[in-house]
């Protein structure tokens, strides 16, 4: 029996210069953070998409999300709040061995112990803090791309 990662990677080839954004949709800050991530990625020539940017009428939402994660070169995950969908999608990305950037707001909920040993980019929503976040995110993406 083939492993999960190999079979999904066979189905969905990685599209270079793409990122999949995993973030809670209903938080008051979600759209602002998504816009910030997308603008950083766009400046680096990366096409960043969130699950609601994908729509394949032949598949379920979950299938679209799995396909999006599989095809992404990079997965950017905001773990500021305990959102089951976010952690589910993070688990898929981890299982597939994706390059993952974790994000967490400085005043967000405590990071769960299962992932507290991972590096993450902490950010604030004040304009000067958010500009620093975008610069730092861009530098992290550049380092990941350079390491490949």
């Amino acid at each position: 029996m083939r492993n999960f990662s190999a079979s999904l990677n066979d189905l969905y080839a990685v599209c270079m210069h793409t990122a999949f954004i995993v973030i809670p949709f209903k938080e008051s800050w979600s759209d602002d953070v998504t816009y910030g991530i997308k603008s950083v990625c766009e400046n680096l020539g990366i096409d960043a998409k969130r699950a609601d940017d994908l729509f394949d009428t032949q598949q379920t939402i979950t299938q679209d999300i799995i396909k999006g994660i599989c095809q992404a070169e990079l997965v950017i995950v905001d773990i500021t709040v305990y959102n089951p969908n976010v952690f589910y999608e993070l688990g898929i990305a981890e299982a597939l061995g994706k390059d993952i950037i974790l994000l967490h707001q400085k005043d967000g909920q405590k990071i769960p112990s299962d992932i507290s040993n991972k590096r993450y980019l902490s950010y604030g929503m004040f304009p000067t803090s958010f500009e620093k976040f975008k610069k730092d995110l861009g530098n992290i993406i550049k380092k990941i791309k350079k390491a490949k």
Side-chain angles (χ1 to χ4, degrees):
M1 184 170 157
R2 295 174 47 180
N3 69 33
F4 176 74
S5 178
S7 61
L8 283 176
N9 286 328
D10 288 345
L11 286 173
Y12 304 115
V14 172
C15 300
M16 299 307 291
H17 312 294
T18 60
F20 190 76
I21 302 168
V22 177
I23 191 168
F25 290 168
K26 305 241 183 227
E27 298 297 327
S28 61
W29 45 265
S30 295
D31 288 340
D32 291 335
V33 174
T34 298
Y35 178 78
I37 294 167
K38 284 184 175 186
S39 69
V40 168
C41 288
E42 184 178 307
N43 288 337
L44 296 172
I46 297 170
D47 183 25
K49 297 206 181 307
R50 203 167 75 164
D52 56 342
D53 294 327
L54 310 174
F55 189 75
D56 184 335
T57 58
Q58 304 301 311
Q59 298 188 78
T60 67
I61 294 167
T62 303
Q63 289 170 318
D64 283 344
I65 290 168
I66 292 170
K67 181 178 178 182
I69 293 169
C70 287
Q71 290 181 332
E73 181 181 19
L74 173 68
V75 180
I76 302 170
V77 183
D78 194 302
I79 55 170
T80 297
V81 297
Y82 297 156
N83 181 293
N85 294 334
V86 167
F87 286 103
Y88 173 75
E89 294 168 34
L90 172 59
I92 292 169
E94 285 269 339
L96 292 171
K98 292 292 179 174
D99 285 321
I100 299 169
I101 299 174
L102 294 177
L103 310 176
H104 186 267
Q105 284 183 37
K106 292 176 182 171
D107 60 352
Q109 294 176 324
K110 183 179 177 192
I111 296 174
S113 61
D114 288 353
I115 60 171
S116 64
N117 65 332
K118 298 188 179 298
R119 293 189 196 314
Y120 59 91
L121 176 57
S122 183
Y123 68 94
M125 292 302 295
F126 292 110
T128 54
S129 299
F130 200 68
E131 287 306 311
K132 181 181 180 330
F133 156 69
K134 291 188 333 185
K135 181 180 177 187
D136 291 345
L137 178 60
N139 289 334
I140 292 168
I141 293 170
K142 287 176 192 173
K143 285 179 186 174
I144 289 172
K145 301 265 301 164
K146 186 177 181 180
K148 289 187 169 208

